[in-house]
Amino acid sequence: MQEKSKPSASGEAGAAENNKRPDPRGIPVENEVVKPQVDVAHPESQDLASILEAASGWKASKTPLPQRESKPLELKLRMKKGENEDVPTASENANRNALSHNAAHDREEIKDEDLLELTIEQFKEKLQSGNWTCVQLTEAYLDRIKRLDGKLNAVLEINPDAVALAKQLDDNFDELGSLPLYGVPILLKDNIDTADRMTTAAGSLALAGRRVKQDAFAVAKLRDAGAILLGKVNMTEWANYMSREMPSGYSSRGGQTHNPYGDYPVGGSSSGSAAAVSANFCLGAIGSETSGSIVNPSAYQSVVGIKPTVGLISRSGVVPLTLTQDTLGPIARTVLDAALILEAMAFGDEADACTLLPQRPISFLPGRDVLPVRLKVGVAKQLSDELDEETAAVFEQALSGLKAAGIEIVRDLDMPAYNDEWNGTVMRREFKSAIDAFLAAQPEGTVPAHLGEIIAFNREHESECLRYGQDLLEESERDGGSLEDEAYRTSKELGVRRAGEEGIDLALRQYEVHALAFVDSSGADLAARAGYPLVSVPAGYTASGRPVGLLLSGTAMSDPLLIEIAYRFERAAKKRKTPEISLSEASP
């Protein structure tokens, strides 16, 4: 579907006509979609381009930004090939003592308390000083998972080569030690392909045992940045598009994930990603979001989650839900750590037509001292009608935290689109098309050939696979598939327009604010339909102890600005508390 461009406020319609870029929502439209809009009537308050440039180096120019070079991570010690193996097995010749600058004489034991709230920056300091090694940290996290995950059920499987990879990094510290994620242990959601001995099954027994020979594009970038893939985590099966009755955090493959803070919801579908990070099982994790699946579990488990503008991170090698709303995103305990992981993954990919090439911010990293104007965050009046008393109290505290960070709050924004009801046509149609195409691209005989065979497999293994039914799969099989008829086109166009142009963008422009504030996952659906970014940051806890998240929303490509606001709030409010998980509570 083609949309015609409208004259831009900056008078660059002619340039836009000759410089088309992919729309972040996967719809081919003109360049103005990905460029922050400037209200010429209020240039000082609304010049998002200037604010973004100050915050991240992103420039709204006629000339596309050069794409960052991606240098492949080349280890001196290659992984051995086992007999009849197409994927790597553990190296036997890595020497953990073959370090020069990271000298062994200052080596410290990593205790369990050292892992609590550990940040990437702190880990790097330990590496540079020679006190820790990559192997030590990897083994410490593996030990913690082994001892404590019995209660949470967040981690599906451990990468059997994680320690060997850490040894290789240690052996090549001089050459690779400056990589942005050098030695950083990362856990991955079960729908993200890895070319190793781990399985990628989207939580489904129908894909059990599925191994691949090529990393997802984003996974390759994580490896390039020096990250260690620690393992795979549980998720809501089929990214929460299997059954309306299925609780978040449950999959036939992995069972039920639990919240480290107690008997509270885990949120979905990146439930295991958030639980593992919150429980200090890794330095960060990767989730995926179609509508709320990163920010919702992040809020409920008191961690930071970034759902980027759709198109900033490739979906190649990711088990899909929709063609136009899916995106990967990082989950971490701090905004800076999440931004570091996001930056490592955000590269253009020619294999993903939705990827923005190469128009993206130069840097997502927060912490700029000066911005051209005072930042303003708006609050929709529709939000207050749905908050219970305890959650509303935490949200008010969060707004006070934003003020303490120097951010102005504008209340009572009227957002009629917030209460729109949706008929599910777009997701139903796109899931059928996307999953059938994904399955057709797999080696013959390794997985079900199409959605109908998945449904049949589940019926044949009812006791294991259909604890909560599969009504959503069946509806998509029956009604989905066609992306050409009027019902699909109309539903999609209405959703994109109401969520973006008549929803988020209208509120930003009309009330002269730079971002919108919500709580938990309220507002996530609007951003999902428009393909716009979200950032969730811990906001506090209710009187009964449930974690609550502050959710920040903005227009396309405003990711660095939302990250900057979240970073300033985080530093001012300091709301995250370490969950109390004891050995006595853990299952054997």
mmCIF file of all heavy atoms in Angstrom, residues 470-486:
data_model
loop_
_atom_site.group_PDB
_atom_site.id
_atom_site.type_symbol
_atom_site.label_atom_id
_atom_site.label_comp_id
_atom_site.label_asym_id
_atom_site.label_seq_id
_atom_site.Cartn_x
_atom_site.Cartn_y
_atom_site.Cartn_z
ATOM 1 N N GLN A 470 -5.788 -23.187 21.787
ATOM 2 C CA GLN A 470 -5.072 -22.496 20.711
ATOM 3 C C GLN A 470 -6.048 -21.707 19.833
ATOM 4 O O GLN A 470 -5.943 -21.698 18.605
ATOM 5 C CB GLN A 470 -4.270 -23.490 19.872
ATOM 6 C CG GLN A 470 -5.049 -24.633 19.265
ATOM 7 C CD GLN A 470 -4.191 -25.554 18.419
ATOM 8 O OE1 GLN A 470 -3.063 -25.223 18.007
ATOM 9 N NE2 GLN A 470 -4.711 -26.744 18.111
ATOM 10 N N ASP A 471 -6.983 -21.030 20.447
ATOM 11 C CA ASP A 471 -8.027 -20.335 19.685
ATOM 12 C C ASP A 471 -7.472 -19.256 18.765
ATOM 13 O O ASP A 471 -7.986 -19.045 17.663
ATOM 14 C CB ASP A 471 -9.086 -19.753 20.614
ATOM 15 C CG ASP A 471 -8.503 -18.779 21.628
ATOM 16 O OD1 ASP A 471 -7.730 -19.217 22.499
ATOM 17 O OD2 ASP A 471 -8.829 -17.574 21.556
ATOM 18 N N LEU A 472 -6.409 -18.568 19.173
ATOM 19 C CA LEU A 472 -5.847 -17.522 18.316
ATOM 20 C C LEU A 472 -5.176 -18.120 17.082
ATOM 21 O O LEU A 472 -5.292 -17.573 15.977
ATOM 22 C CB LEU A 472 -4.854 -16.669 19.099
ATOM 23 C CG LEU A 472 -5.457 -15.794 20.203
ATOM 24 C CD1 LEU A 472 -4.358 -15.080 20.982
ATOM 25 C CD2 LEU A 472 -6.442 -14.784 19.626
ATOM 26 N N LEU A 473 -4.465 -19.230 17.261
ATOM 27 C CA LEU A 473 -3.872 -19.901 16.100
ATOM 28 C C LEU A 473 -4.968 -20.337 15.128
ATOM 29 O O LEU A 473 -4.832 -20.174 13.903
ATOM 30 C CB LEU A 473 -3.057 -21.116 16.545
ATOM 31 C CG LEU A 473 -1.832 -20.885 17.433
ATOM 32 C CD1 LEU A 473 -1.107 -22.203 17.664
ATOM 33 C CD2 LEU A 473 -0.892 -19.847 16.848
ATOM 34 N N GLU A 474 -6.022 -20.892 15.650
ATOM 35 C CA GLU A 474 -7.102 -21.386 14.793
ATOM 36 C C GLU A 474 -7.817 -20.247 14.069
ATOM 37 O O GLU A 474 -8.174 -20.375 12.898
ATOM 38 C CB GLU A 474 -8.087 -22.198 15.636
ATOM 39 C CG GLU A 474 -7.491 -23.504 16.147
ATOM 40 C CD GLU A 474 -8.344 -24.177 17.195
ATOM 41 O OE1 GLU A 474 -9.283 -23.518 17.722
ATOM 42 O OE2 GLU A 474 -8.090 -25.363 17.516
ATOM 43 N N GLU A 475 -8.014 -19.127 14.754
ATOM 44 C CA GLU A 475 -8.641 -17.972 14.107
ATOM 45 C C GLU A 475 -7.772 -17.437 12.978
ATOM 46 O O GLU A 475 -8.273 -17.070 11.911
ATOM 47 C CB GLU A 475 -8.908 -16.874 15.125
ATOM 48 C CG GLU A 475 -10.061 -17.153 16.054
ATOM 49 C CD GLU A 475 -10.284 -16.029 17.042
ATOM 50 O OE1 GLU A 475 -9.700 -14.931 16.833
ATOM 51 O OE2 GLU A 475 -11.027 -16.225 18.015
ATOM 52 N N SER A 476 -6.469 -17.369 13.223
ATOM 53 C CA SER A 476 -5.573 -16.876 12.186
ATOM 54 C C SER A 476 -5.538 -17.814 10.991
ATOM 55 O O SER A 476 -5.502 -17.377 9.836
ATOM 56 C CB SER A 476 -4.165 -16.696 12.749
ATOM 57 O OG SER A 476 -3.306 -16.106 11.814
ATOM 58 N N GLU A 477 -5.563 -19.121 11.241
ATOM 59 C CA GLU A 477 -5.582 -20.092 10.152
ATOM 60 C C GLU A 477 -6.866 -19.972 9.339
ATOM 61 O O GLU A 477 -6.864 -20.069 8.108
ATOM 62 C CB GLU A 477 -5.444 -21.506 10.723
ATOM 63 C CG GLU A 477 -5.619 -22.628 9.716
ATOM 64 C CD GLU A 477 -4.530 -22.670 8.659
ATOM 65 O OE1 GLU A 477 -3.485 -21.995 8.814
ATOM 66 O OE2 GLU A 477 -4.730 -23.388 7.656
ATOM 67 N N ARG A 478 -7.969 -19.741 10.019
ATOM 68 C CA ARG A 478 -9.263 -19.660 9.340
ATOM 69 C C ARG A 478 -9.464 -18.331 8.605
ATOM 70 O O ARG A 478 -9.943 -18.304 7.472
ATOM 71 C CB ARG A 478 -10.383 -19.834 10.369
ATOM 72 C CG ARG A 478 -11.789 -19.839 9.762
ATOM 73 C CD ARG A 478 -12.854 -19.975 10.824
ATOM 74 N NE ARG A 478 -12.898 -18.828 11.724
ATOM 75 C CZ ARG A 478 -12.596 -18.873 13.013
ATOM 76 N NH1 ARG A 478 -12.206 -20.008 13.571
ATOM 77 N NH2 ARG A 478 -12.676 -17.786 13.764
ATOM 78 N N ASP A 479 -9.093 -17.223 9.243
ATOM 79 C CA ASP A 479 -9.431 -15.903 8.708
ATOM 80 C C ASP A 479 -8.233 -15.139 8.142
ATOM 81 O O ASP A 479 -8.416 -14.104 7.508
ATOM 82 C CB ASP A 479 -10.064 -15.045 9.802
ATOM 83 C CG ASP A 479 -11.282 -15.694 10.409
ATOM 84 O OD1 ASP A 479 -11.959 -16.466 9.691
ATOM 85 O OD2 ASP A 479 -11.561 -15.451 11.595
ATOM 86 N N GLY A 480 -7.010 -15.608 8.428
ATOM 87 C CA GLY A 480 -5.836 -14.818 8.070
ATOM 88 C C GLY A 480 -5.302 -15.116 6.692
ATOM 89 O O GLY A 480 -5.890 -15.859 5.915
ATOM 90 N N GLY A 481 -4.179 -14.506 6.397
ATOM 91 C CA GLY A 481 -3.481 -14.810 5.160
ATOM 92 C C GLY A 481 -3.483 -13.709 4.133
ATOM 93 O O GLY A 481 -2.431 -13.272 3.683
ATOM 94 N N SER A 482 -4.648 -13.228 3.743
ATOM 95 C CA SER A 482 -4.718 -12.238 2.670
ATOM 96 C C SER A 482 -4.356 -10.845 3.172
ATOM 97 O O SER A 482 -4.919 -10.353 4.148
ATOM 98 C CB SER A 482 -6.124 -12.200 2.070
ATOM 99 O OG SER A 482 -6.214 -11.151 1.120
ATOM 100 N N LEU A 483 -3.395 -10.229 2.490
ATOM 101 C CA LEU A 483 -3.011 -8.850 2.800
ATOM 102 C C LEU A 483 -3.407 -7.912 1.673
ATOM 103 O O LEU A 483 -2.878 -6.800 1.556
ATOM 104 C CB LEU A 483 -1.501 -8.767 3.040
ATOM 105 C CG LEU A 483 -0.930 -9.698 4.107
ATOM 106 C CD1 LEU A 483 0.564 -9.458 4.276
ATOM 107 C CD2 LEU A 483 -1.650 -9.530 5.437
ATOM 108 N N GLU A 484 -4.347 -8.369 0.858
ATOM 109 C CA GLU A 484 -4.726 -7.605 -0.333
ATOM 110 C C GLU A 484 -6.147 -7.076 -0.282
ATOM 111 O O GLU A 484 -6.486 -6.127 -0.980
ATOM 112 C CB GLU A 484 -4.566 -8.474 -1.590
ATOM 113 C CG GLU A 484 -3.151 -9.001 -1.808
ATOM 114 C CD GLU A 484 -2.139 -7.884 -2.016
ATOM 115 O OE1 GLU A 484 -2.527 -6.826 -2.551
ATOM 116 O OE2 GLU A 484 -0.972 -8.071 -1.636
ATOM 117 N N ASP A 485 -7.022 -7.701 0.534
ATOM 118 C CA ASP A 485 -8.425 -7.296 0.461
ATOM 119 C C ASP A 485 -8.689 -5.998 1.215
ATOM 120 O O ASP A 485 -7.861 -5.499 1.975
ATOM 121 C CB ASP A 485 -9.352 -8.419 0.925
ATOM 122 C CG ASP A 485 -9.172 -8.739 2.403
ATOM 123 O OD1 ASP A 485 -8.622 -7.902 3.135
ATOM 124 O OD2 ASP A 485 -9.582 -9.828 2.821
ATOM 125 N N GLU A 486 -9.881 -5.465 1.022
ATOM 126 C CA GLU A 486 -10.233 -4.158 1.565
ATOM 127 C C GLU A 486 -10.298 -4.164 3.084
ATOM 128 O O GLU A 486 -9.947 -3.166 3.729
ATOM 129 C CB GLU A 486 -11.576 -3.711 0.988
ATOM 130 C CG GLU A 486 -11.931 -2.259 1.292
ATOM 131 C CD GLU A 486 -10.937 -1.277 0.682
ATOM 132 O OE1 GLU A 486 -10.293 -1.620 -0.319
ATOM 133 O OE2 GLU A 486 -10.820 -0.160 1.215
#
